């Protein structure tokens, strides 16, 4: 059983012993509660985006796979093992193109694309904590979709393996998915 009083820096081992009925994420050794059941529009965005991504991959005989939360992504620094990793997140959408990273429990290592749909419950997780985390672990592409103000911020790795300044979009735009050659997602479907 998980005992939060034992220490204040947690690992994947601690995370695995957390009660199953409570959804949390582990970022830099700290436990963050996830939002209660997301809104209907939050869920609609996740379903639509994951369907578009999955259909594109299948129709192009792609090797990537699409997963939606709850789906653990364990990110370990070079000095950590999986069990001693201090970072386990559950992105709303993860696209993984290296199947060697997939386990029965989720993904070990950086997905190629992560999409987070902002919740009013904890927006700083997506805009600050996860942005820094995903930049550190060199996620190739990170989208932050905000259904409240109808904006999308797209971060892509540059040649220095750091996020460039974000590209800014709204729900009237078509957005090119950078990890694929010819996929654009039309956000008009949500407006």
């Amino acid at each position: 059983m998980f005992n939060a009083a034992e220490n204040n820096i947690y690992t994947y081992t601690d995370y695995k012993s957390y009660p199953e009925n409570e959804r949390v994420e582990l970022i830099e050794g700290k436990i963050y509660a996830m939002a209660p059941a997301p809104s209907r529009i939050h869920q609609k965005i996740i379903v639509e985006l994951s369907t578009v991504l999955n259909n594109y991959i299948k129709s192009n005989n792609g090797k990537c796979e699409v997963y939606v939360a709850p789906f653990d992504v364990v990110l370990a620094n070079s000095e950590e093992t999986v069990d001693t990793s201090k970072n386990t997140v559950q992105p709303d959408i993860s696209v993984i193109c290296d199947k060697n990273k997939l386990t029965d429990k989720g993904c070990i290592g950086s997905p190629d694309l992560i999409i987070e749909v902002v919740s009013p419950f904890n927006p700083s997780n997506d805009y600050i904590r996860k942005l820094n985390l995903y930049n550190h672990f060199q996620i190739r592409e990170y989208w932050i979709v905000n259904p409240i103000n109808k904006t999308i911020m797209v971060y892509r790795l540059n040649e220095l393996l750091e996020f460039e300044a974000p590209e800014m979009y709204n729900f009237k735009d078509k957005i090119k998915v950078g990890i694929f050659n010819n996929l654009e997602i039309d956000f008009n479907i949500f407006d």
Side-chain angles (χ1 to χ4, degrees), residues 131-147:
L131 173 63
N132 291 328
L133 183 70
Y134 298 161
N135 186 36
H136 175 77
F137 284 97
Q138 301 175 346
I139 306 300
R140 287 175 53 197
E141 194 164 346
Y142 174 41
W143 293 22
I144 303 173
V145 179
N146 188 323

Side-chain angles (χ1 to χ4, degrees), residues 13 16 28 31 35-36 40 57 63 65 68 72 83 102 105 126 129 131 133 136 149 153 168:
T13 298
K16 290 186 295 186
E28 296 301 321
I31 299 283
R40 182 190 58 77
I57 292 165
K63 61 177 181 153
E65 295 189 16
V68 298
D72 286 347
D83 283 337
L102 296 173
K105 299 279 187 184
D126 297 326
R129 289 181 191 95
L131 173 63
L133 183 70
H136 175 77
N149 63 19
M153 297 173 74
M168 305 293 291

